[in-house]
Amino acid sequence: MHDSKTTATPLAYDERFRPQLHFTPPTGWLNDPNGLVYYAGEYHLFYQHFPRDTVWGPMHWGHAVSTDLINWTHLPVALQPDDLGYIFSGSAVIDWHNTAGFGPQAMVVLFTHHDPHDSKQSQSLAYSIDRGRTWTKYAGNPVIDTPSNLRDFRDPKIFWYGDESAGGRWVMALATTSAILFYTSPDLITWQPGGSFGSGYGARSGVWETPDLFQLPVDDGPDTRWVLLAGVGDGAPAGGSGEQYFIGSFDGQTFTSENEKDTVLWFDYGADNYATQSWSDVPHGRRLVLSWMNNWQYGRAIPTTAWRGAMTMPRELRLVRTPSGVRLSQAPAPEFQAQRGQPYGRSNFTVPAGETLLLPPLGLVFELELAVDLPEAAAGTFGLRLRTGADQHTAIGCTPGARTLFIDRRRSGLSAFHDDFPALHSAPLAAQDGRIRLRLFVDRSSVELFANDGTVVLTDQIFPTGEEMQVELFAGDTPLTISRFDAYRLQSARFSK
Ligand code: FRU
């Protein structure tokens, strides 16, 4: 048995593009987060993994644990392909009332078996009764067989719905072509079909994948909404795959959106956020999520070495009331404040029109927070340039006239590995009380940008070739007034095996 507390050996994790705060596999390919569950003081992270190569292949479930969402210990691969096929995406719960009969507090995962010969997809189960260290696949797999008329039928996300003891049941959300199907079960083994959601709703430019469904309070008050997440395989705002969400209600059988059919809500406007999943069983009602920080469009070609694929920072979700309706608000888990070095802060200063202000060096991994006053007459594009060298930089900018916020990675470093990589990605953004607030997390090969209380988010990978660390502010055609600016170098997380 492999116990993280006694045998962990630190990994160097020091290659040029190796993320210092984002989860990556030691070697091999990674895509979707799977089986996110909190149990006995540990956050479990399973993930779509091909250990033998740095491209997608026969899918396994890689596994790691963390006590703080920052430092991770890799554990042995949890699930290997078998006679029923590859182990595609799925989720985990703790079976507190032993409904399945596997033993007290069993950790149970539901995943998709993908048969590589005929592409059939069915849902299967595995469980662990030793804190996720060893796994047994259920002898009666699959627990939901392939319906004859469906090709895409995958990515079960399960949760307990209803009363703790009586009248409650397990619910599964499952993705098919452009809809989410719901199933219910008393014991995680026998499943009955419930309702479905999708028909005509949201972005339908690609296959829907990796759903999630959960309830959250609005503005931390007594009013609540259900949030349905659905990955869209193609045609997202930055191109390729992206994550959309719906706000509405759930009655135990089906989800109903409270918005018009053609309302599309994007979880992230950058190119690199997909397959978002939330952790089950987190204490105090926190809704923590993780996404694959990559894109099916070019994900197989990104120029990393021993590994390929990273996760976003774990983010905490809230719902907020905005002028256009109830919306998600995201922030990196507050646990990351522990990584901050000496703060550098300034208040109320101005960068003259058309000029640039160089900031003190912040290293390769840092956090920036700034509040910009936005007068009615603000003109041109203002923002920040980071990882700036003679021939490269990544720009983060705001164009108030066009009401947009963007990340421009066209000159960010290595980008010729795929035609779709070099691009400018933008999101709609309006000032709030005459101000724009930005929060930015930069790692060795990524930028995560949270604007206006995290209601607008952009995540992009970048691959700067030099050691350029310069960060500068640039004003547009009118002076740039910064009411508050805070920056921190961030200490690397510890990854061990
Ligand atoms: C999403 C996805 C899932 C599937 C998995 C296969 O990125 O396509 O639908 O289960 O990846 O690796």
Side-chain angles (χ1 to χ4, degrees):
M1 189 159 96
H2 195 286
D3 197 302
S4 59
K5 292 196 180 66
T6 51
T7 59
T9 325
L11 296 166
Y13 268 28
D14 201 28
E15 298 96 333
R16 177 165 62 161
F17 297 132
R18 182 69 90 166
Q20 300 297 296
L21 288 177
H22 294 79
F23 182 85
T24 47
T27 54
W29 166 267
L30 166 149
N31 58 290
D32 312 355
N34 294 151
L36 303 182
V37 63
Y38 178 87
Y39 181 62
E42 292 177 325
Y43 292 92
H44 287 260
L45 160 53
F46 301 85
Y47 54 94
Q48 289 287 280
H49 186 36
F50 186 35
R52 292 192 301 281
D53 202 350
T54 50
V55 288
W56 191 90
M59 284 290 107
H60 299 53
W61 274 29
H63 188 195
V65 289
S66 172
T67 55
D68 55 12
L69 296 166
I70 299 168
N71 305 294
W72 292 93
T73 302
H74 295 280
L75 296 178
V77 164
L79 300 173
Q80 315 249 5
D82 55 40
D83 291 348
L84 293 172
Y86 300 169
I87 315 296
F88 270 20
S89 286
S91 56
V93 289
I94 302 302
D95 186 6
W96 294 105
H97 299 290
N98 198 13
T99 61
F102 298 139
Q105 304 185 13
M107 188 179 287
V108 179
V109 301
L110 262 290
F111 60 88
T112 298
H113 257 127
H114 173 88
D115 186 332
H117 306 295
D118 59 8
S119 294
K120 277 198 176 154
Q121 302 186 329
S122 55
Q123 317 317 317
S124 288
L125 185 156
Y127 63 90
S128 165
I129 48 169
D130 60 357
R131 298 160 45 243
R133 281 1 185 227
T134 58
W135 287 88
T136 306
K137 286 185 187 136
Y138 178 59
N141 280 341
V143 293
I144 304 182
D145 216 340
T146 319
S148 55
N149 57 337
L150 294 180
R151 210 178 80 89
D152 298 300
F153 184 64
R154 60 179 175 271
D155 309 338
K157 172 68 175 153
I158 46 176
F159 63 95
W160 181 259
Y161 175 84
D163 204 48
E164 270 290 296
S165 44
R169 57 181 167 257
W170 297 104
V171 172
M172 176 194 293
L174 198 66
T176 182
T177 320
S178 290
I180 304 302
L181 306 175
F182 301 99
Y183 287 76
T184 60
S185 170
D187 58 7
L188 294 163
I189 297 168
T190 50
W191 293 91
Q192 290 82 39
S196 76
F197 170 79
S199 176
Y201 279 89
R204 321 179 58 73
S205 43
V207 62
W208 288 14
E209 303 183 303
T210 56
D212 201 344
L213 178 65
F214 45 83
Q215 193 176 19
L216 276 177
V218 179
D219 290 328
D220 300 318
D223 198 14
T224 66
R225 291 290 189 285
W226 286 79
V227 181
L228 178 67
L229 300 177
V232 188
D234 200 12
S241 47
E243 190 73 25
Q244 70 174 328
Y245 70 95
F246 300 91
I247 301 285
S249 57
F250 180 70
D251 63 5
Q253 293 289 338
T254 203
F255 174 84
T256 309
S257 170
E258 68 180 29
N259 293 303
E260 298 298 321
K261 282 193 162 181
D262 58 1
T263 304
V264 183
L265 305 177
W266 291 105
F267 186 85
D268 194 305
Y269 286 85
D272 295 305
N273 183 108
Y274 196 57
T276 304
Q277 184 179 109
S278 69
W279 263 278
S280 184
D281 294 279
V282 178
H284 314 301
R286 295 175 75 193
R287 191 52 64 172
L288 296 162
V289 297
L290 196 65
S291 310
W292 180 38
M293 192 164 64
N294 205 350
N295 192 311
W296 281 119
Q297 211 175 37
Y298 51 72
R300 295 169 180 83
I302 57 169
T304 53
T305 47
W307 81 99
R308 200 180 260 124
M311 299 297 178
T312 60
M313 291 166 84
R315 299 177 188 170
E316 189 157 352
L317 302 185
R318 291 166 46 235
L319 284 176
V320 293
R321 221 175 280 280
T322 74
S324 30
V326 174
R327 296 290 181 265
L328 275 178
S329 149
Q330 307 176 44
E335 278 84 344
F336 280 92
Q337 288 172 17
Q339 302 308 102
R340 286 175 174 174
Q342 285 297 322
Y344 167 80
R346 275 181 80 176
S347 300
N348 301 319
F349 61 101
T350 300
V351 184
E355 291 193 16
T356 299
L357 178 75
L358 189 63
L359 296 168
L362 290 167
L364 297 179
V365 186
F366 60 90
E367 173 186 349
L368 277 183
E369 210 165 347
L370 73 158
V372 177
D373 287 346
L374 212 61
E376 284 293 322
T381 293
F382 67 84
L384 285 153
R385 283 185 210 102
L386 50 98
R387 299 301 301 272
T388 302
D391 61 348
Q392 59 186 259
H393 65 262
T394 300
I396 312 291
C398 240
T399 310
R403 290 170 165 258
T404 56
L405 171 70
F406 65 82
I407 299 180
D408 184 353
R409 66 177 180 190
R410 285 175 296 184
R411 283 176 290 278
S412 56
L414 297 185
S415 66
F417 54 86
H418 194 286
D419 287 351
D420 290 315
F421 188 84
L424 179 152
H425 302 135
S426 62
L429 186 78
Q432 285 177 332
D433 312 323
R435 262 192 195 151
I436 281 186
R437 294 177 185 79
L438 302 178
R439 198 162 169 218
L440 190 68
F441 286 82
V442 177
D443 203 334
R444 286 192 187 171
S445 53
S446 63
V447 178
E448 274 162 291
L449 174 61
F450 300 85
N452 287 355
D453 198 24
T455 51
V456 177
V457 182
L458 288 112
T459 302
D460 267 359
Q461 297 184 89
I462 52 169
F463 300 100
T465 53
E467 284 297 292
E468 295 86 3
M469 298 187 196
Q470 217 156 290
V471 183
E472 57 198 28
L473 282 166
F474 63 94
D477 302 337
T478 42
L480 176 64
T481 305
I482 314 271
S483 47
R484 185 67 205 168
F485 181 94
D486 290 283
Y488 310 85
R489 286 172 182 255
L490 298 175
Q491 200 180 46
S492 299
R494 287 187 311 278
F495 299 94
S496 32
K497 200 170 180 158

